[in-house]
Amino acid sequence: KYWSKHNQRLVYCAGKKDGIQSRGAMYMWRCLLTCYNKKTFDILDTKKLSKITLEEFRTIFQDDSGNDVLPELEKRHKNWLDLATKLNDLFEGKTLNIIKSCNNSLIKFTNSFRQFKAFDDPLSKMIMVNAIMHQGRGLIKFEQPIIPGMDYQLLKQLLRQGVIVAPADIEEKIKNYELLDNNEAMELRKAGLFALHEIMNQTSIPGDYIDNMIWGNRTKCEDEEPICMISKEEECPFHKFCSKKTELMIPLEDTRYY
């Protein structure tokens, strides 16, 4: 989660890190890269990582002016402690050992990562993102097809294109940027994942390709000014199919499963 709400608008975490302005997840990645390059903390040593204090963790993600930018710091810190401790106890401190133990099985890969707090989404969003990244790097070749990582950028696209249709009461909440309760959000994400399964079955396009294709189009529909409203409509690859346009915003939920 990289946002907060202010007067019915989303405010994304953003700041300068090592002189470069970034926002959201890119700000987080910038902080990690800066930490690694400047050796602020040895984040790749799981024994040290299992003992990182909240203040040491906080320093990694502060902006150049020393401000706290990334939200949910306490929860993220606990995720790191859980990850490092279990890597040490179960996999000799190396994520690569998880990969090797899976023997190219996506099922074993999924079950292995479910042990970690940061990856326990019932729909396996973060695990699938992890699988896509590891296979894309050539570290593993799964015997089973990867399913897309059902995050809220993918869900936004499916809603705007009319691939899935929310019930009227939930659609009203989405339009007004109201928080969905966990059950409402889970039903939307399940519907989105089912739709993407159907797309995989009918097109024979791998799930990781579909994930990347939809993710790559996320900037075509900005939250408040999609490309069809600020430029030529035909520049959007979905302009012939999308009747939603600006009607629906990103579904919002107070959750770790983004």
Side-chain angles (χ1 to χ4, degrees):
K1 182 180 176 185
Y2 300 103
W3 51 266
S4 58
K5 282 188 66 178
H6 181 68
N7 295 332
Q8 292 302 106
R9 293 178 64 88
L10 282 189
V11 179
Y12 286 91
C13 73
K16 278 190 176 183
K17 191 68 176 182
D18 202 22
I20 295 179
Q21 183 75 21
S22 305
R23 86 166 202 178
M26 296 310 299
Y27 177 82
M28 179 192 72
W29 285 113
R30 183 72 193 164
C31 291
L32 292 173
L33 179 64
T34 301
C35 176
Y36 177 78
N37 287 340
K38 294 192 172 183
K39 298 179 172 54
T40 307
F41 190 96
D42 190 355
I43 55 177
L44 299 184
D45 185 327
T46 53
K47 290 185 178 179
K48 293 179 180 177
L49 196 65
S50 66
K51 298 177 181 178
I52 188 171
T53 67
L54 179 58
E55 285 310 307
E56 288 172 324
F57 181 86
R58 186 187 303 276
T59 299
I60 294 172
F61 294 103
Q62 286 176 336
D63 67 10
D64 288 347
S65 299
N67 300 311
D68 287 338
V69 175
L70 199 66
E72 309 283 0
L73 283 175
E74 290 81 3
K75 291 180 181 178
R76 295 179 193 274
H77 175 242
K78 289 179 180 178
N79 281 352
W80 276 28
L81 295 179
D82 176 81
L83 174 68
T85 300
K86 289 176 179 174
L87 280 176
N88 286 329
D89 292 346
L90 303 174
F91 298 101
E92 298 180 353
K94 295 182 180 180
T95 306
L96 188 59
N97 287 338
I98 305 178
I99 310 303
K100 291 178 178 178
S101 69
C102 292
N103 297 318
N104 298 324
S105 169
L106 185 64
I107 296 171
K108 289 182 179 179
F109 182 91
T110 301
N111 289 334
S112 294
F113 275 97
R114 280 194 189 281
Q115 300 174 76
F116 301 100
K117 183 176 177 59
F119 295 96
D120 65 356
D121 176 6
L123 299 188
S124 302
K125 179 259 178 175
M126 282 303 302
I127 295 176
M128 289 304 112
V129 171
N130 221 20
I132 290 169
M133 293 175 67
H134 281 91
Q135 182 164 274
R137 293 287 302 218
L139 294 174
I140 190 170
K141 178 63 177 177
F142 292 108
E143 295 171 347
Q144 300 86 7
I146 297 176
I147 61 175
M150 180 43 62
D151 69 5
Y152 277 76
Q153 290 290 352
L154 271 63
L155 192 56
K156 176 181 74 171
Q157 297 284 357
L158 295 177
L159 285 164
R160 282 197 166 152
Q161 295 162 33
V163 176
I164 60 174
V165 179
D169 56 335
I170 295 180
E171 183 171 317
E172 194 64 24
K173 282 188 173 182
I174 297 172
K175 289 180 181 179
N176 294 327
Y177 260 26
E178 296 177 27
L179 286 175
L180 304 180
D181 68 38
N182 297 137
N183 290 332
E184 292 169 334
M186 182 59 72
E187 286 304 306
L188 273 188
R189 296 179 67 222
K190 285 180 179 178
L193 195 56
F194 179 82
L196 293 176
H197 266 290
E198 286 297 299
I199 293 171
M200 289 171 62
N201 291 336
Q202 294 186 31
T203 64
S204 297
I205 300 175
D208 46 340
Y209 282 48
I210 292 173
D211 185 291
N212 283 322
M213 288 165 64
I214 299 177
W215 179 256
N217 278 314
R218 72 194 184 281
T219 54
K220 303 294 184 184
C221 289
E222 290 292 347
D223 298 332
E224 297 182 16
E225 293 185 325
I227 196 168
C228 60
M229 301 294 289
I230 61 175
S231 185
K232 294 180 179 179
E233 188 176 67
E234 57 268 23
E235 290 185 20
C236 175
F238 302 114
H239 79 277
K240 292 182 179 178
F241 313 99
C242 177
S243 60
K244 300 295 183 183
K245 296 184 179 175
T246 57
E247 288 183 29
L248 292 173
M249 311 297 247
I250 291 182
L252 302 181
E253 179 195 4
D254 228 355
T255 177
R256 295 192 294 114
Y257 303 141
Y258 266 79

